[in-house]
Amino acid sequence: MMHVSSSTFFFCEPVTGERMRWLSGVISAAGGEGASNETGSVKIFLSGDALFSLLDARTRPGWVTLSRMPSVRITADGDVLLLQGLFDPVASGIPGIRVTGAGNGRSFWGELVFALEMDWKGTKNAAFLLCNSPYMSRVPVYMLRFLASVVEAGLHPELYCYLDGVHVLHDGQRPSEFENIGKGVSALAGETVRSCRDPWFAACSRCATARGYYQMNPGTGFCEPASCIQDIAIRPLKEILARFPGFYPVASHMGGWTVPAGCEGGGVPGLSVFITHPPYCSEWTFGGLSLAIAAAMDGIPTNVIFIEDGVYALQEIHEVPGNERIFNVQEMIAVTTDIESLSYHVHSPSLEDRGIHRTGDFPLVGKVSDGDLPRILFPSKDGPASATAMRMLFF
Amino acid sequence: METTNAKDFTELTCTNLMIKLKILLNKLPPGDAVAFYATREQVDNTCSPFSGQGYQVSWTATAENRYLVRIGK
C-alpha cells in the first residue's frame, strides 16, 4: 500500500555537520527517497542560528542535496538573514532555497503557519513549546512571531512554557534594547481574545516552582504565582500534556511533525523526543526525559532517542555523590523501561563518533542506525492505513 | 511535627515522584521503609497505587496539604 505523508521541520538553533548527516537521511526518507511504499512532501523552515548552516562548508552540501529533491521545499527566514548579513549569499547561492519575509510576499511565519494548516487539515489550534528564556535567547521572539501568525490565520494559539521558558512568566520585564517578551505575551493574549479565539497559555509548575514563580502559601499549603504576568497559568506538566492527544501541531526551537494523509483527527499523535545534550550540566536531558515519561504514562506512544551528545546518558555507570540533589538519569531510564507506551533508542553512529559504548545495563535501549530512524519517526510506512501523526521535539 | 530524616518530595511532579519512589524502593532491604513528605495530590495519585504492588503505604497529615508518607516492603 502506498502511504502519503506531509512533514514539516522548523529549526532555529545551530545545525551541526553531525546533525546534518542523520537529519538529511530522515528528511530524504520523509520525502520518499529510498522507501518502497512511502511518498510525501517535506517542508523545512530555517530561522535563527540554523540559517548559518546554509553557508557553512560542513552543512551546505547537505542542504544543496536536499533542495534538489522535488518533494523537499526549504524556506529561509529573510528578516533574520538580513540581520545576519546572509541575505544575498543565501538568496543567490543556493537555487533551491526560498527566502521569505524581508518584503518578499507572505512573512516567514505566515508561510510556516500555512504549511501546518496543510499538514494538520482541519486543525483549530497550533502550539509552541518554549524551553528557552527571554533575552539570553531569541527563541521567545520567534515564539511570539509564530503565535501571532497562528492568530492571524484564525487558529487558537497555545503556549507551553517549560524549563527556562518559564522565565517568560516574570512580571515587570523591562529590557533596554530588546523586545519585551512579557508584554508581547500579554498583547498576544489580548489580541487573541479580541479576535474571538481562546489563548491557552501555560507554564509547567515544576519548572516555575524551581525558578521561584510558584511559591508555597504556608496558610493554605498550596502554591501560588509570585511576580507573574496574568496571561500564563501555572499548571502541572500532566495538564499541559493532556492537550497532546489533540490533532494539532506543537512547534518548538528544534522539531517538527509528520502527518500521514487521511489521519485527520484520528488516533493520538505519537511523540519522538531527541535527547541531544550531555546529562547533568544543563536541564535538557532531565527535562526531555521527564516530559517523555509523563507523556507515555498518559498513554501517548512515545520514543526517546539518545543522539549526538545525548548518548553520554548511557555511557558507563553513573553514581550520584553523597548529598547531591540530582536525578541519576540512568536510574530514571532503568525504572521506566516497563512503561508500555515508551520506547528507548540510542543512535549507534553518535556512539561510534565519540568512541564510546552503551553500558550493558540497558538492553532495552535499542541501538538504531541512520537507516532505522525513519522507521521510528514515520511508523505509517510499515503500519496500517490508520497510522497517526508524529510530533518531534529536540532537547 | 517534622521528621528530620524524611525527605521533602512535595515539589516533585507526580511522574518524577513515581520515578524517585521506584528507584528508592528497588534499593530498599526487605522490612525497611522510606519516609518522605508529600502533598495530598501526590498521596492520592502516586503513593497510594504502590499499595497495589505489594508495598505497605501509610500517611499522616502534618500540616495543611503536607503529609508524612511511609512506604515499606
Side-chain angles (χ1 to χ4, degrees), chain A residues 129-312:
Chain A
L129 174 73
L130 180 67
C131 301
N132 306 73
S133 63
Y135 316 120
M136 186 68 186
S137 164
R138 248 180 98 74
V139 174
V141 175
Y142 305 144
M143 172 275 291
L144 286 177
R145 303 279 185 275
F146 172 76
L147 292 182
S149 293
V150 165
V151 176
E152 260 179 50
L155 304 175
H156 302 279
E158 305 209 356
L159 169 63
Y160 315 140
C161 301
Y162 190 55
L163 306 179
D164 268 358
V166 301
H167 286 305
V168 167
L169 275 173
H170 205 309
D171 193 20
Q173 295 172 45
R174 206 173 153 211
S176 60
E177 306 298 331
F178 300 112
E179 186 169 333
N180 189 316
I181 301 300
K183 283 188 176 170
V185 169
S186 298
L188 180 69
E191 179 57 33
T192 306
V193 171
R194 279 191 294 280
S195 59
C196 301
R197 309 272 173 239
D198 295 322
W200 200 91
F201 294 171
C204 164
S205 57
R206 178 190 69 80
C207 304
T209 304
R211 289 156 179 83
Y213 299 118
Y214 203 43
Q215 297 183 6
M216 178 73 77
N217 177 333
T220 64
F222 289 90
C223 287
E224 296 169 357
S227 301
C228 292
I229 60 173
Q230 301 290 311
D231 308 280
I232 302 175
I234 298 176
R235 297 172 184 271
L237 180 61
K238 196 176 167 64
E239 282 184 27
I240 295 174
L241 291 170
R243 311 289 289 179
F244 276 45
F247 185 74
Y248 66 92
V250 180
S252 191
H253 59 287
M254 293 288 288
W257 53 78
T258 186
V259 185
C263 81
E264 288 86 355
V268 175
L271 175 66
S272 289
V273 170
F274 292 90
I275 305 289
T276 68
H277 286 77
Y280 307 122
C281 199
S282 74
E283 204 183 357
W284 287 110
T285 299
F286 176 75
L289 271 178
S290 292
L291 185 140
I293 293 166
M297 287 181 65
D298 275 354
I300 295 170
T302 303
N303 299 302
V304 175
I305 301 146
F306 296 94
I307 198 162
E308 301 173 3
D309 282 345
V311 298
Y312 286 117

Side-chain angles (χ1 to χ4, degrees), chain A residues 221-222 290 297 331 335 338, chain B residues 16 18 22-23 27 64-65:
Chain A
F222 289 90
S290 292
M297 287 181 65
E331 289 183 338
V335 298
D338 59 347
Chain B
N16 289 340
M18 181 275 293
K22 283 175 87 169
I23 293 169
K27 295 174 181 171
E64 281 294 324
N65 198 29

Side-chain angles (χ1 to χ4, degrees), chain A residues 21-46:
Chain A
R21 279 199 300 279
W22 65 263
L23 204 50
S24 54
V26 166
I27 291 167
S28 299
E33 289 283 307
S36 58
N37 59 347
E38 176 89 358
T39 184
S41 68
V42 184
K43 285 91 61 186
I44 303 162
F45 289 86
L46 302 175

